[in-house]
Amino acid sequence: MKYAFLLLFVCLFSIHDAMSQAALGKVDYQKSQQPAAIIELPYPPEMVEAAIKDHMAKKGAKPNSSKGFIGYKGVQLSLAD
């Protein structure tokens, strides 16, 4: 029984981990290719956008919208946030 529970836990953890992977990519912005972080999350885009806006507002950053993109200048991301 212990092994079955452990196997179930490992399977569920690996499925969750596989659903949220990050990769490096490029995006067309202002007629040039810019580096971008591509992150697939198992949440609706509206929820992720609201969470990012809330996090940046807590850091005191103001959004700058341009051509479908939302940018934040002068903000450094760290693992401790």
Side-chain angles (χ1 to χ4, degrees):
M1 185 67 181
K2 290 180 185 179
Y3 296 112
F5 179 71
L6 180 62
L7 180 63
L8 177 66
F9 178 75
V10 169
C11 288
L12 289 175
F13 182 74
S14 63
I15 289 171
H16 178 269
D17 191 40
M19 291 181 66
S20 57
Q21 297 291 320
L24 294 177
K26 295 194 181 262
V27 65
D28 290 323
Y29 182 69
Q30 295 182 342
K31 299 180 183 179
S32 66
Q33 294 269 321
Q34 299 291 323
I38 301 169
I39 305 169
E40 296 284 332
L41 300 172
Y43 303 106
E46 298 83 20
M47 182 184 289
V48 174
E49 188 175 325
I52 291 172
K53 285 181 179 180
D54 182 52
H55 178 75
M56 292 299 187
K58 287 179 182 175
K59 293 184 102 176
K62 296 188 180 181
N64 181 10
S65 297
S66 174
K67 298 182 183 180
F69 291 92
I70 301 172
Y72 296 90
K73 289 190 176 191
V75 178
Q76 292 186 352
L77 300 177
S78 65
L79 295 175
D81 289 340

